[in-house]
C-alpha cells in the first residue's frame, strides 16, 4: 500500500500545472541545499581537528556535547519558520477500504523525509567516522550518533505539534531566548547541565534508549492527534468563526491611501503567512549581533554597513518583496475600481517606511556598541526609507507570482510569490548601501561614508514624487500581464 501511496504522490507532483513553472525555483533551492550539504560535510570532516587545535586540553566530543543544546534549539526555531510539512489529501481515502492507520503512518513517514532531518547527518556522520579513525570506542560512537538521529526525528515530530498549537511555540521561543540571554550575560550556563546530559549518553551507550523512547512517544502523540479527527464528517465540516469588524479609524488621517493601509493591516492580522513574515521581520533586529559582537568585523566597515541596513530593513525585505503578490486574490477587483494606481503604490511605500521607522526605534539598544554603530544604523534606516523602498516597489512590477493567503504553509519555505527576478532586484538593495558607504570611507574617512549613506536616503525621500511617478508608469504598463498571471490556478 505504501508503494501505491508513493506512486500517487509522484503523479500528483509531476502532473501539477505549477511543476514546469517552478523548475527554476526548484533548481535554485537544490543548489542552495547542495551548498549547505557540502558545508556540513566539510565541517564534520575537519571539525574534530579544528576543536583539537583550538582547545588542546579538551576532548572534542565533550566540546560538541556541551553545545549540542544550541544546535537542537536552533533546529526547533528554524523548522517552525521554514520547514514545509507535507500535506496529504485524505478525503479520497476515507470512502475506500483503506486502513486509517496506514494512511496516517504514511503521512507521518513523509515528515521524516525532510532536508532538515538529513542535514545533521551530513555533519555528524563524517564527525563520527573521524572519531572511529582516531580510536574512539565503536559502541559509544555508534550509540551517540543514533541518539542524535533520534533527537533530530523527535524535533521533527515536535514541530508537527507546534504547527498546530502556536501558543506552545511562543512559550518555547521565550524560553529559548531567555536561556540564550542568561548564557550570554553569564548568569546561568545552560551548556553545563545540557553538556552533562549528552556526555552521559555518550559514556553510557544504553542511554540511547532515552532519545529513542522520546521519538516513539512524540510519534504516538502525533498519530493519536491525527487519528482523533480522521473522519469524513470532520473533514467536510465547515469551520465556523466569530467575525469581528475592525475599522481602524485612526488610519483615516492618511486620506485617500487609508483604505489600502487598512486592507494591508487586516491582511496581516487575519492571515497566518503575513503574520509569520511580520514576526520574522522582527527577528532581523538581532541581525546586527552577528557582526557587532565579533572583533573580526570591526575592521571591515563595509560588512557593518550591510548589517546596519538589515537591522531596520526586515519588513521591507520580507513583506515588501511580495508586493503586489499579497493582493493577488483580489487584485483584479482592485484594478477595476476607480482609484489612482499611485495611491495604491504610495500606501505600500508608506507602510514600508513606517516599518523601517519602528525598527529603528526598536534598535536603540545598539547604542551599547557605540555611537558609531548607532549612527550607521540610522544612516541605513534612511537609505531603506529613501531608496530601498522604491527599489522594492519597482521589483514588484516584475513579480507576477500569486500568493494564496488561505493556504496553510510556512512563511519562508513557501515559494509562492517567489521568482528568480527577485534575486536580481535584491542585488542593488544589498550592494547599494555597501558601495555608497565604502567608496567615500576609503577615499576620505568613516564619517564621510556615513554622511553619503544618509544623504542618499534623504534625497530619495525628497524625490518621492519623482520615483512614485516612474514606478506608477511601470505598473500601469504591466497591469494586464499581472492580472492575467494572478488569475492562473496552480
Amino acid at each position: 500500500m505504501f508503494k501505491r501511496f508513493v506512486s500517487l504522490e509522484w503523479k500528483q507532483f509531476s502532473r501539477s500545472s505549477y511543476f514546469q513553472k517552478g523548475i527554476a525555483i526548484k533548481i535554485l533551492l537544490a543548489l542552495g541545499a547542495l551548498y549547505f550539504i557540502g558545508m556540513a560535510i566539510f565541517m564534520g570532516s575537519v571539525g574534530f581537528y579544528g576543536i583539537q587545535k583550538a582547545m588542546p586540553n579538551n576532548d572534542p566530543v565533550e566540546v560538541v556535547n556541551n553545545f549540542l543544546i544550541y544546535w537542537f534549539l536552533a533546529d526547533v526555531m528554524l523548522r517552525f519558520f521554514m520547514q514545509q510539512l507535507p500535506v496529504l489529501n485524505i478525503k479520497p481515502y476515507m470512502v475506500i477500504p483503506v486502513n486509517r492507520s496506514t494512511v496516517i503512518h504514511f503521512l507521518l513517514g513523509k515528515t521524516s523525509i525532510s532536508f532538515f532531518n538529513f542535514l545533521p547527518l551530513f555533519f555528524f556522520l563524517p564527525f563520527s567516522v573521524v572519531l572511529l579513525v582516531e580510536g574512539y570506542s565503536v559502541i559509544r560512537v555508534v550509540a551517540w550518533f543514533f541518539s542524535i538521529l533520534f533527537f533530530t526525528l523527535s524535533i521533527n515530530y515536535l514541530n508537527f505539534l507546534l504547527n498546530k498549537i502556536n501558543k506552545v511555540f511562543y512559550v518555547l521561543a521565550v524560553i529559548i531566548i531567555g536561556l540564550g540571554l542568561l548564557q550570554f550575560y553569564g548568569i546561568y550556563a545552560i551548556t553545563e547541565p545540557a553538556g552533562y546530559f549528552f556526555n552521559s549518553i555518550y559514556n553510557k551507550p544504553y542511554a540511547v534508549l532515552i532519545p529513542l523512547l522520546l521519538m516513539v512517544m512524540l510519534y504516538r502523540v502525533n498519530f493519536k492527534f491525527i487519528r482523533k479527527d480522521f473522519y469524513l464528517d470532520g473533514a467536510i465540516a465547515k469551520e465556523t468563526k466569530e467575525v469581528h469588524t475592525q475599522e481602524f479609524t485612526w488610519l483615516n488621517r492618511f486620506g485617500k491611501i487609508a483604505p489600502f493601509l487598512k486592507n494591508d493591516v487586516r491582511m496581516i492580522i487575519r492571515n497566518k503567512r503575513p503574520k509569520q513574515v511580520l514576526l520574522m521581520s522582527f527577528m532581523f533586529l538581532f541581525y546586527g549581533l552577528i557582526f557587532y559582537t565579533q572583533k573580526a568585523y570591526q575592521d571591515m566597515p563595509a560588512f557593518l554597513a550591510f548589517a546596519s541596513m538589515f537591522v531596520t530593513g526586515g519588513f521591507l525585505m520580507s513583506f515588501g518583496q511580495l508586493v503586489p503578490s499579497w493582493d493577488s486574490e483580489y487584485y483584479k477587483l482592485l484594478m477595476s475600481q476607480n482609484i489612482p494606481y499611485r495611491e495604491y503604490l504610495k500606501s505600500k511605500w508608506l507602510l514600508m517606511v513606517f516599518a523601517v521607522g519602528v525598527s529603528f526605534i526598536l534598535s536603540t539598544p545598539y547604542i551599547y556598541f557605540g555611537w558609531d554603530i548607532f549612527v550607521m544604523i540610522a544612516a541605513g534606516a534612511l537609505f531603506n526609507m529613501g531608496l530601498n523602498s522604491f527599489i522594492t516597489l519597482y521589483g514588484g512590477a516584475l513579480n507576477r507570482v500569486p500568493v494564496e493567503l488561505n493556504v496553510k504553509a510556512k512563511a519562508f519555505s513557501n515559494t509562492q510569490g517567489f521568482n528568480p527576478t527577485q534575486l536580481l532586484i535584491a542585488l542593488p538593495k544589498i550592494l547599494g548601501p555597501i558601495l555608497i558607504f565604502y567608496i567615500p570611507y576609503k577615499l576620505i574617512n568613516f564619517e564621510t561614508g556615513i554622511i553619503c549613506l544618509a544623504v542618499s536616503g534623504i534625497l530619495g525621500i525628497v524625490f518621492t514624487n519623482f520615483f512614485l511617478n516612474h514606478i506608477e508608469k511601470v505598473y500601469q504598463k504591466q497591469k494586464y500581464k499581472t492580472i492575467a498571471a494572478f488569475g492562473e490556478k496552480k
Side-chain angles (χ1 to χ4, degrees):
M1 195 65 207
F2 276 87
K3 183 178 179 181
R4 179 62 60 85
F5 282 144
V6 172
S7 175
L8 292 174
E9 288 292 302
W10 170 252
K11 290 178 180 177
Q12 181 184 12
F13 172 71
S14 60
R15 295 175 180 176
S16 63
S17 60
Y18 192 68
F19 176 73
Q20 293 182 346
K21 297 179 184 179
I23 287 180
I25 297 176
K26 294 177 178 65
I27 292 175
L28 290 175
L29 294 176
L31 292 175
L34 290 175
Y35 169 78
F36 285 110
I37 289 173
M39 290 297 296
I41 293 175
F42 174 76
M43 294 300 295
S45 302
V46 304
F48 177 89
Y49 303 105
I51 295 173
Q52 198 174 51
K53 184 177 180 180
M55 305 177 182
N57 298 324
N58 296 326
D59 187 345
V61 177
E62 292 184 0
V63 174
V64 172
N65 284 335
N66 289 338
F67 289 93
L68 268 180
I69 183 65
Y70 291 122
W71 175 287
F72 290 130
L73 291 178
D75 193 15
V76 172
M77 297 288 291
L78 287 173
R79 284 175 185 270
F80 181 81
F81 288 108
M82 301 189 70
Q83 183 181 8
Q84 179 64 57
L85 296 179
V87 177
L88 182 66
N89 186 8
I90 61 175
K91 293 181 183 179
Y93 301 110
M94 291 181 173
V95 294
I96 59 177
V98 177
N99 194 308
R100 285 184 299 170
S101 298
T102 303
V103 178
I104 298 173
H105 283 308
F106 178 75
L107 177 60
L108 291 175
K110 284 180 65 178
T111 68
S112 304
I113 306 174
S114 169
F115 174 75
F116 290 91
N117 293 331
F118 287 108
L119 185 60
L121 299 182
F122 292 108
F123 174 82
F124 289 105
L125 184 58
F127 189 83
S128 299
V129 171
V130 173
L131 291 179
L132 295 176
V133 172
E134 293 295 324
Y136 282 74
S137 170
V138 176
I139 296 178
R140 289 184 177 183
V141 172
V142 172
W144 178 75
F145 172 76
F146 275 99
S147 68
I148 292 175
L149 175 62
F150 294 146
F151 274 125
T152 300
L153 291 174
S154 298
I155 293 174
N156 176 74
Y157 299 129
L158 175 63
N159 182 51
F160 196 96
L161 295 175
L162 291 176
N163 275 265
K164 305 298 180 181
I165 313 173
N166 286 341
K167 292 182 180 179
V168 176
F169 166 77
Y170 297 131
V171 172
L172 186 62
V174 170
I175 293 174
I176 293 173
I177 295 173
L179 291 174
L181 292 175
L182 291 176
Q183 177 80 25
F184 180 78
Y185 290 106
I187 300 174
Y188 177 75
I190 185 62
T191 55
E192 293 181 4
Y196 177 80
F197 172 75
F198 290 115
N199 283 320
S200 298
I201 292 179
Y202 173 78
N203 294 321
K204 301 173 183 179
Y206 60 83
V208 70
L209 294 174
I210 296 175
L212 175 61
L213 293 175
L214 177 64
M215 181 191 70
V216 173
M217 181 190 71
L218 288 172
Y219 185 93
R220 294 299 302 173
V221 170
N222 277 282
F223 182 88
K224 292 180 179 179
F225 182 84
I226 298 173
R227 189 182 178 90
K228 180 179 64 176
D229 296 322
F230 199 91
Y231 295 97
L232 187 60
D233 292 342
I236 63 176
K238 293 184 177 180
E239 186 177 2
T240 304
K241 291 184 178 180
E242 185 178 354
V243 178
H244 299 277
T245 302
Q246 297 163 313
E247 297 296 336
F248 300 114
T249 54
W250 53 276
L251 288 173
N252 291 336
R253 69 187 68 182
F254 294 102
K256 295 180 180 180
I257 66 174
F260 301 111
L261 291 173
K262 292 179 181 180
N263 278 342
D264 287 331
V265 174
R266 291 190 186 103
M267 177 186 66
I268 294 173
I269 293 175
R270 296 174 180 176
N271 296 277
K272 184 176 182 179
R273 187 178 179 193
K275 282 194 289 188
Q276 288 186 343
V277 168
L278 180 64
L279 181 60
M280 278 301 294
S281 65
F282 173 76
M283 302 300 290
F284 274 72
L285 286 170
F286 302 96
Y287 194 85
L289 296 177
I290 301 175
F291 293 87
Y292 304 147
T293 58
Q294 303 296 324
K295 293 182 179 179
Y297 294 111
Q298 301 307 312
D299 297 327
M300 294 186 288
F303 284 97
L304 297 182
F306 168 78
S308 301
M309 183 271 298
F310 259 74
V311 167
T312 59
F315 186 84
L316 183 146
M317 292 287 183
S318 54
F319 184 90
Q321 71 173 350
L322 294 180
V323 173
S325 293
W326 292 117
D327 305 316
S328 59
E329 294 189 340
Y330 49 88
Y331 193 75
K332 186 182 295 184
L333 174 63
L334 282 175
M335 295 301 104
S336 65
Q337 304 300 308
N338 185 22
I339 51 177
Y341 217 136
R342 178 189 174 84
E343 304 303 331
Y344 171 79
L345 295 173
K346 188 175 181 180
S347 70
K348 303 296 184 183
W349 175 78
L350 189 60
L351 187 64
M352 289 188 283
V353 168
F354 176 78
V356 172
V358 172
S359 297
F360 173 67
I361 295 173
L362 295 177
S363 69
T364 304
Y366 279 111
I367 295 176
Y368 172 81
F369 296 102
W371 283 101
D372 289 345
I373 294 296
F374 187 68
V375 171
M376 185 176 284
I377 293 175
L382 287 173
F383 180 85
N384 283 329
M385 291 180 180
L387 290 181
N388 265 354
S389 57
F390 295 116
I391 296 173
T392 302
L393 273 181
Y394 179 81
L398 308 177
N399 180 25
R400 293 190 286 271
V401 182
V403 170
E404 297 178 19
L405 297 174
N406 295 323
V407 175
K408 295 182 179 180
K410 288 299 176 188
F412 290 94
S413 61
N414 188 355
T415 57
Q416 290 181 0
F418 174 84
N419 64 59
T421 305
Q422 291 179 7
L423 298 179
L424 299 176
I425 296 297
L427 290 178
K429 291 192 290 185
I430 296 174
L431 298 179
I434 296 177
L435 294 175
I436 293 174
F437 166 80
Y438 186 74
I439 294 175
Y441 159 77
K442 200 67 177 176
L443 296 177
I444 306 176
N445 55 29
F446 177 85
E447 289 74 15
T448 305
I450 292 293
I451 292 173
C452 289
L453 186 61
V455 169
S456 66
I458 294 173
L459 288 175
I461 296 174
V462 171
F463 290 99
T464 295
N465 290 331
F466 169 79
F467 286 118
L468 284 178
N469 288 337
H470 177 70
I471 294 172
E472 180 185 11
K473 293 178 182 178
V474 176
Y475 271 80
Q476 287 178 336
K477 186 177 180 180
Q478 302 291 332
K479 175 178 178 178
Y480 295 103
K481 291 182 180 179
T482 304
I483 292 174
F486 285 166
E488 294 182 3
K489 298 297 182 181
K490 297 180 182 179

